Amino acid sequence: MTVTGGAAAALARPRVDGGVPVDISRVPAREAAERELSDPRYHENDPNLLQRGLNRFWEWLDDLFGAASGATPGGVLGLVVIVLAVAALAAALWWRLGTPHRAPGTTGDSLFSDGPRTARDHRTAAARHASAGRWNEAVQERMRAIVRSLEERTLLEPRPGRTADEAAAEAGRSLPSHADDLRLAARTFDDVTYGGRTADEPAYRRVEELDTALERTRPTLDTTSTGTPA
C-alpha cells in the first residue's frame, strides 16, 4: 500500500489518548525548543564571557591577517616582511630623532630648578653622580656648572629662567671657538632632561671636558655683551 500526501503527514503527527493526532504549529514549537535549550544543564560547559570575547578577538584578528595576506604579494610571508620593515623604520627614526622635546623658553625649561648654587657646588654634585654611574644627573649638573661658572666670570648675566640653549647661544658669542661644543652640550642636557634620552659616560665626559676647556679660555672681548670678564 502506498502512503501519500496528507496521509503521510497524519501518520507523522504524534498521537495521544484515543489516537487523536496532536498538531503543534511552528511558533509554539520553536518557543518550546527555546525553553528546553535554556535549561542550565545544556550550558554547563559553555565558555565564560571573557573566553567568548577572546575567541571573537582571535577570529577577528585571523580574518584581518587573512585578508591582508591575500592582498599582499607573497602571502603571509610578504606580510611579515612588510611588518618587520615598518618596525625597523620606526625604531631607526626613534633612535635618530628621539622623543621630541619642548622648544626652548617654554615654562618649566629653566636650567636651574633649585636655589642658587656655585659652579663648584654643581661640579661636586656632577662628580658624585658620575662616580655612581648616574650619567643623566651628572650631565645635568655639569651643564649647570658651565653656565654658573660663566655667570661668575661675568661672561653671562645671571638671569632666572634661562634655558640651556639660550645660555649656549649667549656664551657662544663671547667664546666663539667653543660655540659648537656649547650647543652640543645644551642639546645633550635637553635630551636627558626633557627628551627621555639616556646619557652614558662618553656624553658626560664631553661636557666635563668642555667645562675644563672653558675655564682656560679667554673670551673674545669685542663680542662680549656682559661686562668685563674675570
Side-chain angles (χ1 to χ4, degrees):
M1 180 178 68
T2 302
V3 179
T4 61
L11 290 173
R13 295 170 183 166
R15 296 173 179 272
V16 293
D17 297 337
V20 179
V22 178
D23 190 0
I24 303 177
S25 63
R26 182 179 303 172
V27 174
R30 185 177 69 245
E31 292 176 348
E34 290 175 350
R35 284 195 299 272
E36 177 65 20
L37 293 175
S38 66
D39 191 314
R41 293 176 300 171
Y42 297 105
H43 304 280
E44 292 177 353
N45 298 319
D46 286 357
N48 58 35
L49 182 61
L50 177 61
Q51 290 173 325
R52 290 198 298 272
L54 288 174
N55 290 340
R56 290 289 183 86
F57 171 75
W58 290 119
E59 290 173 2
W60 172 81
L61 198 62
D62 183 62
D63 292 341
L64 178 64
F65 274 94
S69 62
T72 304
V76 176
L77 180 60
L79 179 62
V80 171
V81 171
I82 291 174
V83 171
L84 291 177
V86 171
L89 178 61
L93 289 174
W94 180 272
W95 177 258
R96 176 66 181 85
L97 301 177
T99 303
H101 55 271
R102 294 171 289 178
T106 57
T107 303
D109 283 356
S110 175
L111 181 65
F112 299 99
S113 58
D114 52 7
R117 290 189 291 166
T118 66
R120 178 178 294 181
D121 292 335
H122 287 295
R123 291 187 183 107
T124 300
R128 184 170 62 251
H129 288 306
S131 64
R134 297 188 293 267
W135 303 115
N136 279 17
E137 293 85 349
V139 164
Q140 291 168 329
E141 289 297 329
R142 203 74 192 201
M143 185 63 194
R144 289 170 181 142
I146 288 174
V147 176
R148 186 65 78 204
S149 175
L150 294 175
E151 291 177 348
E152 292 171 355
R153 296 171 62 190
T154 68
L155 298 179
L156 286 178
E157 179 183 355
R159 177 162 57 83
R162 176 187 278 122
T163 68
D165 290 321
E166 291 170 343
E170 294 171 21
R173 290 194 287 269
S174 58
L175 299 164
S177 62
H178 295 289
D180 291 340
D181 292 333
L182 282 163
R183 283 194 295 269
L184 178 59
R187 175 62 185 270
T188 303
F189 177 91
D190 286 344
D191 283 346
V192 301
T193 305
Y194 311 118
R197 301 294 290 271
T198 300
D200 53 14
E201 183 174 3
Y204 169 71
R205 298 303 175 194
R206 285 193 296 269
V207 182
E208 180 185 43
E209 290 169 4
L210 174 61
D211 185 22
T212 302
L214 290 173
E215 285 291 289
R216 297 194 299 261
T217 302
R218 296 183 63 83
T220 301
L221 298 179
D222 58 352
T223 58
T224 303
S225 59
T226 57
T228 304

Short mmCIF file of all heavy atoms in Angstrom, two decimals, residues 192-224:
data_model
loop_
_atom_site.label_atom_id
_atom_site.label_comp_id
_atom_site.label_asym_id
_atom_site.label_seq_id
_atom_site.Cartn_x
_atom_site.Cartn_y
_atom_site.Cartn_z
N VAL A 192 68.36 64.59 27.81
CA VAL A 192 68.21 63.77 29.01
C VAL A 192 67.19 64.38 29.98
O VAL A 192 66.61 63.67 30.80
CB VAL A 192 69.56 63.55 29.73
CG1 VAL A 192 70.55 62.88 28.80
CG2 VAL A 192 70.12 64.86 30.27
N THR A 193 66.98 65.69 29.90
CA THR A 193 66.07 66.35 30.84
C THR A 193 64.63 66.35 30.34
O THR A 193 63.70 66.11 31.11
CB THR A 193 66.52 67.81 31.09
OG1 THR A 193 67.88 67.81 31.53
CG2 THR A 193 65.66 68.47 32.16
N TYR A 194 64.43 66.60 29.04
CA TYR A 194 63.08 66.73 28.50
C TYR A 194 62.75 65.69 27.44
O TYR A 194 61.58 65.46 27.16
CB TYR A 194 62.90 68.12 27.88
CG TYR A 194 63.35 69.24 28.78
CD1 TYR A 194 64.39 70.10 28.39
CD2 TYR A 194 62.76 69.44 30.02
CE1 TYR A 194 64.81 71.13 29.20
CE2 TYR A 194 63.19 70.47 30.85
CZ TYR A 194 64.20 71.31 30.44
OH TYR A 194 64.62 72.32 31.25
N GLY A 195 63.77 65.11 26.81
CA GLY A 195 63.53 64.23 25.67
C GLY A 195 63.46 62.75 25.99
O GLY A 195 63.28 61.93 25.09
N GLY A 196 63.65 62.38 27.26
CA GLY A 196 63.56 60.97 27.61
C GLY A 196 64.74 60.12 27.18
O GLY A 196 64.68 58.90 27.23
N ARG A 197 65.83 60.77 26.75
CA ARG A 197 67.01 60.01 26.35
C ARG A 197 67.87 59.69 27.57
O ARG A 197 67.75 60.31 28.63
CB ARG A 197 67.84 60.82 25.34
CG ARG A 197 67.09 61.19 24.09
CD ARG A 197 66.73 59.98 23.24
NE ARG A 197 67.90 59.39 22.63
CZ ARG A 197 68.39 59.77 21.45
NH1 ARG A 197 67.80 60.74 20.76
NH2 ARG A 197 69.45 59.17 20.94
N THR A 198 68.76 58.71 27.42
CA THR A 198 69.64 58.29 28.50
C THR A 198 71.08 58.61 28.13
O THR A 198 71.56 58.21 27.06
CB THR A 198 69.50 56.79 28.77
OG1 THR A 198 68.14 56.51 29.13
CG2 THR A 198 70.41 56.36 29.91
N ALA A 199 71.77 59.32 29.00
CA ALA A 199 73.17 59.66 28.75
C ALA A 199 74.07 58.48 29.13
O ALA A 199 73.66 57.58 29.86
CB ALA A 199 73.56 60.89 29.55
N ASP A 200 75.30 58.50 28.64
CA ASP A 200 76.29 57.50 29.01
C ASP A 200 77.57 58.23 29.43
O ASP A 200 77.63 59.46 29.43
CB ASP A 200 76.56 56.51 27.87
CG ASP A 200 76.91 57.23 26.56
OD1 ASP A 200 77.21 58.44 26.60
OD2 ASP A 200 76.89 56.58 25.50
N GLU A 201 78.58 57.45 29.80
CA GLU A 201 79.81 58.07 30.27
C GLU A 201 80.47 58.95 29.22
O GLU A 201 80.90 60.08 29.55
CB GLU A 201 80.79 57.00 30.77
CG GLU A 201 82.06 57.60 31.34
CD GLU A 201 82.99 56.57 31.96
OE1 GLU A 201 82.65 55.36 31.90
OE2 GLU A 201 84.04 56.96 32.51
N PRO A 202 80.58 58.52 27.93
CA PRO A 202 81.20 59.41 26.94
C PRO A 202 80.47 60.75 26.83
O PRO A 202 81.12 61.79 26.64
CB PRO A 202 81.11 58.60 25.64
CG PRO A 202 81.12 57.18 26.09
CD PRO A 202 80.33 57.17 27.37
N ALA A 203 79.15 60.74 26.91
CA ALA A 203 78.40 62.01 26.83
C ALA A 203 78.78 62.91 28.00
O ALA A 203 78.97 64.13 27.83
CB ALA A 203 76.91 61.73 26.82
N TYR A 204 78.86 62.32 29.19
CA TYR A 204 79.24 63.14 30.35
C TYR A 204 80.67 63.66 30.22
O TYR A 204 80.94 64.83 30.52
CB TYR A 204 79.11 62.33 31.63
CG TYR A 204 79.73 63.04 32.82
CD1 TYR A 204 79.13 64.17 33.36
CD2 TYR A 204 80.93 62.60 33.37
CE1 TYR A 204 79.70 64.85 34.43
CE2 TYR A 204 81.51 63.27 34.44
CZ TYR A 204 80.89 64.39 34.97
OH TYR A 204 81.47 65.07 36.01
N ARG A 205 81.59 62.82 29.75
CA ARG A 205 82.99 63.25 29.63
C ARG A 205 83.14 64.41 28.65
O ARG A 205 83.99 65.29 28.85
CB ARG A 205 83.88 62.08 29.21
CG ARG A 205 83.91 60.91 30.20
CD ARG A 205 84.36 61.36 31.59
NE ARG A 205 84.27 60.26 32.56
CZ ARG A 205 84.33 60.41 33.87
NH1 ARG A 205 84.49 61.64 34.38
NH2 ARG A 205 84.23 59.38 34.67
N ARG A 206 82.32 64.43 27.61
CA ARG A 206 82.41 65.54 26.66
C ARG A 206 82.01 66.85 27.34
O ARG A 206 82.65 67.89 27.13
CB ARG A 206 81.50 65.28 25.46
CG ARG A 206 82.05 64.25 24.48
CD ARG A 206 81.28 64.25 23.18
NE ARG A 206 79.88 63.85 23.37
CZ ARG A 206 79.47 62.59 23.27
NH1 ARG A 206 80.32 61.61 23.02
NH2 ARG A 206 78.18 62.31 23.44
N VAL A 207 80.95 66.82 28.15
CA VAL A 207 80.52 68.02 28.86
C VAL A 207 81.56 68.42 29.91
O VAL A 207 81.87 69.60 30.10
CB VAL A 207 79.14 67.81 29.50
CG1 VAL A 207 78.66 69.09 30.21
CG2 VAL A 207 78.11 67.40 28.45
N GLU A 208 82.13 67.42 30.57
CA GLU A 208 83.17 67.69 31.57
C GLU A 208 84.39 68.34 30.93
O GLU A 208 84.95 69.32 31.46
CB GLU A 208 83.56 66.38 32.25
CG GLU A 208 84.62 66.54 33.33
CD GLU A 208 85.06 65.19 33.88
OE1 GLU A 208 85.25 64.25 33.07
OE2 GLU A 208 85.21 65.08 35.11
N GLU A 209 84.83 67.80 29.78
CA GLU A 209 85.99 68.37 29.09
C GLU A 209 85.70 69.79 28.62
O GLU A 209 86.59 70.66 28.65
CB GLU A 209 86.35 67.48 27.90
CG GLU A 209 86.94 66.13 28.32
CD GLU A 209 87.06 65.17 27.15
OE1 GLU A 209 86.74 65.59 26.01
OE2 GLU A 209 87.44 64.00 27.37
N LEU A 210 84.47 70.05 28.19
CA LEU A 210 84.11 71.40 27.78
C LEU A 210 84.20 72.36 28.97
O LEU A 210 84.73 73.48 28.83
CB LEU A 210 82.70 71.41 27.20
CG LEU A 210 82.12 72.79 26.85
CD1 LEU A 210 82.98 73.49 25.80
CD2 LEU A 210 80.67 72.66 26.38
N ASP A 211 83.72 71.92 30.11
CA ASP A 211 83.78 72.75 31.32
C ASP A 211 85.24 73.11 31.64
O ASP A 211 85.57 74.27 31.92
CB ASP A 211 83.14 72.00 32.48
CG ASP A 211 83.06 72.84 33.75
OD1 ASP A 211 83.11 74.09 33.65
OD2 ASP A 211 82.93 72.25 34.84
N THR A 212 86.12 72.12 31.58
CA THR A 212 87.53 72.34 31.87
C THR A 212 88.16 73.28 30.84
O THR A 212 88.94 74.19 31.18
CB THR A 212 88.29 71.01 31.89
OG1 THR A 212 87.70 70.14 32.87
CG2 THR A 212 89.76 71.22 32.23
N ALA A 213 87.81 73.07 29.56
CA ALA A 213 88.38 73.92 28.50
C ALA A 213 87.91 75.36 28.63
O ALA A 213 88.68 76.30 28.41
CB ALA A 213 87.99 73.35 27.13
N LEU A 214 86.65 75.55 28.98
CA LEU A 214 86.13 76.91 29.13
C LEU A 214 86.82 77.66 30.26
O LEU A 214 87.02 78.87 30.18
CB LEU A 214 84.61 76.87 29.38
CG LEU A 214 83.76 76.44 28.19
CD1 LEU A 214 82.30 76.27 28.63
CD2 LEU A 214 83.86 77.43 27.04
N GLU A 215 87.20 76.94 31.30
CA GLU A 215 87.89 77.57 32.42
C GLU A 215 89.24 78.15 31.98
O GLU A 215 89.72 79.13 32.56
CB GLU A 215 88.11 76.54 33.54
CG GLU A 215 86.85 76.21 34.34
CD GLU A 215 86.41 77.38 35.18
OE1 GLU A 215 87.09 77.71 36.17
OE2 GLU A 215 85.37 78.00 34.85
N ARG A 216 89.85 77.56 30.93
CA ARG A 216 91.16 78.01 30.47
C ARG A 216 91.08 78.96 29.29
O ARG A 216 92.10 79.42 28.80
CB ARG A 216 92.00 76.79 30.08
CG ARG A 216 92.30 75.84 31.22
CD ARG A 216 93.41 74.87 30.84
NE ARG A 216 93.03 74.06 29.68
CZ ARG A 216 92.58 72.82 29.76
NH1 ARG A 216 92.41 72.25 30.95
NH2 ARG A 216 92.27 72.15 28.67
N THR A 217 89.86 79.21 28.79
CA THR A 217 89.70 80.03 27.59
C THR A 217 89.38 81.47 27.95
O THR A 217 88.50 81.74 28.77
CB THR A 217 88.56 79.45 26.71
OG1 THR A 217 88.86 78.10 26.37
CG2 THR A 217 88.40 80.26 25.44
N ARG A 218 90.08 82.38 27.30
CA ARG A 218 89.78 83.80 27.46
C ARG A 218 88.74 84.21 26.44
O ARG A 218 88.80 83.77 25.28
CB ARG A 218 91.04 84.64 27.31
CG ARG A 218 92.11 84.37 28.36
CD ARG A 218 93.30 85.30 28.19
NE ARG A 218 92.91 86.69 28.37
CZ ARG A 218 92.81 87.27 29.57
NH1 ARG A 218 93.06 86.58 30.68
NH2 ARG A 218 92.48 88.56 29.67
N PRO A 219 87.80 85.03 26.82
CA PRO A 219 86.74 85.42 25.90
C PRO A 219 87.22 86.37 24.82
O PRO A 219 88.27 87.01 24.95
CB PRO A 219 85.72 86.12 26.81
CG PRO A 219 86.56 86.68 27.91
CD PRO A 219 87.66 85.67 28.14
N THR A 220 86.46 86.45 23.75
CA THR A 220 86.71 87.44 22.71
C THR A 220 86.07 88.74 23.16
O THR A 220 84.85 88.86 23.23
CB THR A 220 86.09 86.97 21.37
OG1 THR A 220 86.67 85.72 21.01
CG2 THR A 220 86.35 87.99 20.27
N LEU A 221 86.89 89.73 23.46
CA LEU A 221 86.40 90.93 24.13
C LEU A 221 85.40 91.71 23.28
O LEU A 221 84.44 92.25 23.80
CB LEU A 221 87.57 91.83 24.52
CG LEU A 221 88.57 91.22 25.51
CD1 LEU A 221 89.69 92.21 25.79
CD2 LEU A 221 87.87 90.83 26.81
N ASP A 222 85.62 91.77 21.97
CA ASP A 222 84.75 92.62 21.16
C ASP A 222 83.37 92.02 20.97
O ASP A 222 82.50 92.67 20.41
CB ASP A 222 85.39 92.89 19.79
CG ASP A 222 85.68 91.62 19.04
OD1 ASP A 222 85.54 90.53 19.64
OD2 ASP A 222 86.06 91.71 17.86
N THR A 223 83.15 90.77 21.37
CA THR A 223 81.82 90.18 21.25
C THR A 223 81.17 89.96 22.59
O THR A 223 80.08 89.43 22.68
CB THR A 223 81.89 88.83 20.51
OG1 THR A 223 82.77 87.95 21.22
CG2 THR A 223 82.37 89.03 19.09
N THR A 224 81.88 90.30 23.68
CA THR A 224 81.32 90.09 24.99
C THR A 224 80.28 91.17 25.25
O THR A 224 80.53 92.36 25.12
CB THR A 224 82.41 90.20 26.07
OG1 THR A 224 83.41 89.24 25.76
CG2 THR A 224 81.85 89.94 27.45
#
